[in-house]
Structures are given as structure tokens and as C-alpha cells.
Amino acid sequence: MTYALIAFAAMLALTFLRMPIALAMGVVGIAGTALMKGWPPAMAMATQVTYETGFQYAFSVVPLFILMGNFVTRAGMAEELYAVCYAFLGHLRGGLAMATITACGGFGAICGSSLATAATMSRVAMPPMRKFGYSKELSAGSIAAGGTLGILIPPSTVLVLYGIISETSIGKLFAAGILPGVIGIVFYSVAVQWTIWRKPEAGPRGERVSWKGRMQLLRGVGAFLVLATLLVWLANIGMFAADDAAVMGALGTIALAFIYRGVVGVLALFALVMGGIYGGLFTPTEAAGIGAAGAFAFALARGKLDWRGTFEVLLESARTTSMLFVILIGAMMFANFINYTSMPGDLRDFVGRFEISPIVVIASMCVIYVLLGCVLESISMILLTVPVFYPLVQHMGYDLVWFGIVVVVVTEISLITPPIGMNVFVLKTLLPDVSTGTIFRGVMPFIVADIFRLALLVAFPAISLLLPRFMG
């Protein structure tokens, strides 16, 4: 274990010296393997990891979900989501902030990226909040915190990577992320109300939208619910198989999205991806490809794409994918060296020898994640720690699906925790007139809400496991 701890220290030191995290993990992994086994095995390991990571079929789900999220952003679905949330919540005190958080949750259900969610919603939600005189702290804080929901509510790139590394069902992870995501929206809304209670002028009321206007924004949702209910009923009475019902539901929902536009497009994509997975129609990788194709069709039908726009989406997706895969390769090299040092086994022996309570071990892991989140970004943190922690969690008898949700929730906290909160710095780039300190002050109530949510999920694992067990 000593060599592993030295490796972690060396990797963090290189990171503090401004070496890119992917390169730091790769260098330490190769150098450590060379010291233990010699340079030829170390170089062979590096070659093998690079080749296998690039050609592994399971990892193809990552660029496809990234492509889907970029097409969704281009299609303008964020504006439609925010308009619906504003219509129902905007007239309340702090309602625009709560509408922003709810829209972030809905956008995360078709995007899968926290940074993309925060960046998109900053352009959509910040102008109305400025118009009605919201404080900069509450405005920026609600966007930064709401953006973190993008990596929890499925489909989620982080959950996909966790599932691949820990060999856990991605479908079950997606199902497990839904309820904690909804709880996150509720807790964040409570944080908004607490902020308004302390400082009423921070979140004045917006304009009230009539019920007629609200119903116009929900055009097609009623038809979607009728279609879904009818198909479920016909499948239950044996008119046709569940697979056939899922196919007809997907096609019908896409047709409704083209007819009615509006928020039903979000429901269409979510139903297409998640319904296809749980209906047994296709694997998560195939679902990602179909979702990307559906998002492309929506963007095209809305007139949001031309040749230049399509090229920009593809280029941005390629850049993001390249960045993730470089980090992934470096993390795999580092994880291979850690496995050579037998650190996972040593941790199991340590816990067994001193009879440490499993819940204390889980709490310690959560603290480690929060501390690492102060210096590392989320993907690097997941890839760095999961190979070390998940064997120990499995040995203690915990469900790896539940642990995956706990890891993502802690990662959400790290995205808005000083001094390195990635969502905060994304907003700082997009909102140059808002200082970094202002944004960090604005996210503090939401960090407290996240801590309460994390404690709830740790104390009651059934919350995360309810939907995976129900969906079977």
C-alpha cells in the first residue's frame, strides 16, 4: 500500500505543478510499473491500455451520448423546457430560480453533461432573472447547482463510465439515478426558499402566466400520456408484446414531437432512450446511437441545423470525446499500477483487521471525494478512485448500483465546491460581470442541500434501489 500512497501523492504533486491530469496519471502509472516490473512490461502495459480503450465497444456509448447532448442543445430544447417551468413557477418568490433548477433537471434527462447543462441554462435563465432583479448570488448559484443534475439524471456519461469500470448494469444505474435526481430538485428548491426567507429582495416574483398559456406550452403532453397509457393497457391484456408496444410508443412519441414541438420533444427523447433500454429493444450503446439520431432529427426539423451548424456540433463532440478518452487512458494506466501494488486487497484486509464499521468506511470515502473534488474535476476523480474503492465496497456487501449513485452525488458537490468547482468556472467564463466569489457565495445553500441529500441516500439505500428493482 505504501507504493500506492506514494503514487497518489506524486500524481497530485504533478497536478499542482500544472501538468494535465491525464498526463500526470499516465506518467505516474507508467513510471510506477517500470519501477516494479521493468520498462518493457511498463511500455507494453501502456500500449495495451491505449489500444484496448480506443477499440472497446462498451466505450462507444460515451461519444454517442455526448453527440446527443450537443444536438439537443442546438435544437433549442432548453428554451422550451425553461418556458414551461417558468409558466408554473415564475410567479412565486424565488420562482425563476426554482424554474431554472427544474429546467436543469429536465435538460439533464436528455443531455447527460453537467457542464453543458450549466452553460446552456446560463444563456436561457440568466436574462429573465436579471430582468426581474434577482441577486447575482441566487441567479448564478441556482444555475451552477442545477447544472450538476446533468450527471445524475439519466442518461449520464459519468454513470456510464462508472458502470463500465465497476462492471455494473448501466440500465440499473440509469434507473437508480431518477429518484435521487428528483430529490435533488426538491432540496435545491428548498435552498432557494431558505435564501429568499433570509433575503426577500434576492428573488422577487415574476409575471404570472394564465392557465390558458400554460396549457398551450404543454401541447402534446396530454396526447403523449394517452398514447403511453393505451399502449401499456393493450400490452397488459395481451394484444401485443411489450417489445412491440415499446416500438410503437417510440414512433408515436416522435411523431407527436414533430406535430406539437414544445416540451413533448424532451419526453420523446427520454422515452425513446430509456423506454428502449427497459423494453429490451436495445442495449445502452444502441440507445445512445438512436438517441443521437433522434436529437439530430429534432434539431433538423426545428430548422436549427445547417451544414456549418452540423460541422460545429460534430467538431465539439469530437473534442469532448478526445478529452475524455485521454483522461480515461491515463486513469487506466494509473489503475493498473495501483492493482500491481495490491492496494484494493490491502484496504479490505485493513478494514477486516480493525473491524471498522462499513458505514464509517463509506463516510470516509465521501470525505475523500469531497477533498479530491477541490483539486480534480469530476471525470478524473471517478476514473481515479472507482477502481480502488469498488472492490472494497463490494466486499463489505453494499450494492454497487447504490454506491454509484452515492459517488455521483458526491461528485455533484465537488462541481460547485471551492476552490475548483468546474460549474462555477464555466459560469464565470459565460458571465464575466459576475465574480467567482459571488458565484461561490451563491452555491453555499445548495451545497448544504446536497449534504442533506447525500446523508439521506446513505441512510436509506432503498431510495436509490427502488426503481432498478421495480424495473427488473
Side-chain angles (χ1 to χ4, degrees):
M1 185 183 291
T2 303
Y3 291 116
L5 294 176
I6 293 173
F8 274 105
M11 186 272 299
L12 290 174
L14 291 174
T15 304
F16 277 117
L17 293 174
R18 300 300 183 95
M19 179 180 286
I21 182 65
L23 187 57
M25 290 189 290
V27 166
V28 173
I30 294 173
T33 304
L35 291 174
M36 293 186 67
K37 296 182 174 293
W39 281 104
M43 300 310 296
M45 180 273 291
T47 302
Q48 183 180 8
V49 166
T50 304
Y51 178 84
E52 290 182 352
T53 302
F55 283 89
Q56 189 171 340
Y57 173 75
F59 284 128
S60 60
V61 67
V62 176
L64 290 173
F65 273 132
I66 291 172
L67 182 62
M68 173 182 165
N70 286 336
F71 276 130
V72 161
T73 303
R74 176 71 64 161
M77 290 184 176
E79 289 84 350
E80 297 166 358
L81 265 173
Y82 181 77
V84 172
C85 297
Y86 173 84
F88 284 89
L89 297 171
H91 63 284
L92 303 173
R93 284 195 175 275
L96 274 71
M98 292 190 292
T100 300
I101 291 166
T102 307
C104 283
F107 190 72
I110 52 174
C111 176
S113 168
S114 174
L115 300 181
T117 301
T120 302
M121 293 309 300
S122 69
R123 292 190 289 267
V124 174
M126 197 65 180
M129 286 194 278
R130 281 179 168 163
K131 174 184 175 182
F132 287 99
Y134 273 59
S135 69
K136 291 182 178 180
E137 289 88 351
L138 181 58
S139 302
S142 60
I143 296 172
T148 64
L149 297 169
I151 62 171
L152 179 60
I153 298 177
S156 163
T157 305
V158 171
L159 284 177
V160 168
L161 292 174
Y162 173 88
I164 294 173
I165 294 171
S166 64
E167 299 180 356
T168 307
S169 167
I170 294 175
K172 289 184 178 181
L173 287 168
F174 280 0
I178 295 174
L179 277 182
V182 173
I183 293 173
I185 294 174
V186 174
F187 278 29
Y188 284 167
S189 297
V190 172
V192 171
Q193 289 304 309
W194 183 79
T195 303
I196 299 303
W197 175 73
R198 291 180 62 247
K199 192 178 180 183
E201 68 274 13
R205 300 177 187 271
E207 296 176 356
R208 180 183 291 271
V209 178
S210 67
W211 277 103
K212 180 180 178 181
R214 293 172 183 177
M215 292 302 104
Q216 287 177 344
L217 290 170
L218 292 178
R219 287 176 304 175
V221 175
F224 169 80
L225 295 176
V226 170
L227 173 66
T229 303
L230 178 63
L231 289 174
V232 170
W233 178 69
L234 291 175
N236 284 336
I237 64 174
M239 289 291 292
F240 40 70
D243 291 358
D244 298 330
V247 171
M248 288 186 283
L251 295 176
T253 308
I254 291 175
L256 288 174
F258 280 108
I259 295 171
Y260 291 102
R261 300 170 68 93
V263 74
V264 74
V266 176
L267 292 175
L269 268 185
F270 188 78
L272 182 63
V273 174
M274 303 302 295
I277 293 174
Y278 294 111
L281 292 176
F282 31 73
T283 66
T285 303
E286 294 165 343
I290 292 171
F296 171 74
F298 289 150
L300 200 62
R302 284 164 165 75
K304 302 290 186 178
L305 280 181
D306 52 18
W307 286 108
R308 181 180 180 84
T310 304
F311 176 77
E312 289 174 354
V313 168
L314 295 175
L315 182 62
E316 180 61 28
S317 300
R319 285 174 176 167
T320 306
T321 301
S322 301
M323 177 191 70
L324 287 180
F325 269 73
V326 170
I327 295 174
L328 182 60
I329 291 169
M332 291 296 187
M333 292 178 183
F334 188 83
N336 279 355
F337 168 66
I338 295 299
N339 288 332
Y340 289 146
T341 66
S342 69
M343 185 178 185
D346 293 340
L347 286 175
R348 289 195 298 268
D349 295 341
F350 178 82
V351 171
R353 185 182 307 118
F354 293 97
E355 298 182 351
I356 301 174
S357 172
I359 196 65
V360 173
V361 177
I362 295 296
S364 301
M365 289 180 181
C366 291
V367 172
I368 290 172
Y369 273 113
V370 172
L371 294 176
L372 285 177
C374 294
V375 294
L376 299 177
E377 51 86 26
S378 58
I379 297 292
S380 302
M381 190 167 57
I382 295 287
L383 296 174
L384 181 65
T385 56
V386 168
V388 177
F389 286 159
Y390 92 83
L392 176 59
V393 173
Q394 194 172 34
H395 174 73
M396 293 188 299
Y398 285 108
D399 193 300
L400 288 181
V401 172
W402 166 80
F403 181 66
I405 300 304
V406 170
V407 168
V408 173
V409 171
V410 180
T411 303
E412 286 183 314
I413 298 174
S414 73
L415 287 170
I416 53 177
T417 303
I420 308 293
M422 293 299 293
N423 276 20
V424 172
F425 286 101
V426 166
L427 283 187
K428 174 57 184 172
T429 302
L430 297 172
L431 306 172
D433 61 315
V434 182
S435 68
T436 304
T438 299
I439 303 175
F440 276 126
R441 286 194 299 273
V443 299
M444 286 304 168
F446 301 100
I447 293 176
V448 175
D450 265 334
I451 292 173
F452 278 108
R453 177 171 51 139
L454 177 62
L456 184 67
L457 295 176
V458 171
F460 302 99
I463 295 174
S464 302
L465 300 177
L466 180 62
L467 285 182
R469 289 170 180 168
F470 175 74
M471 294 179 176

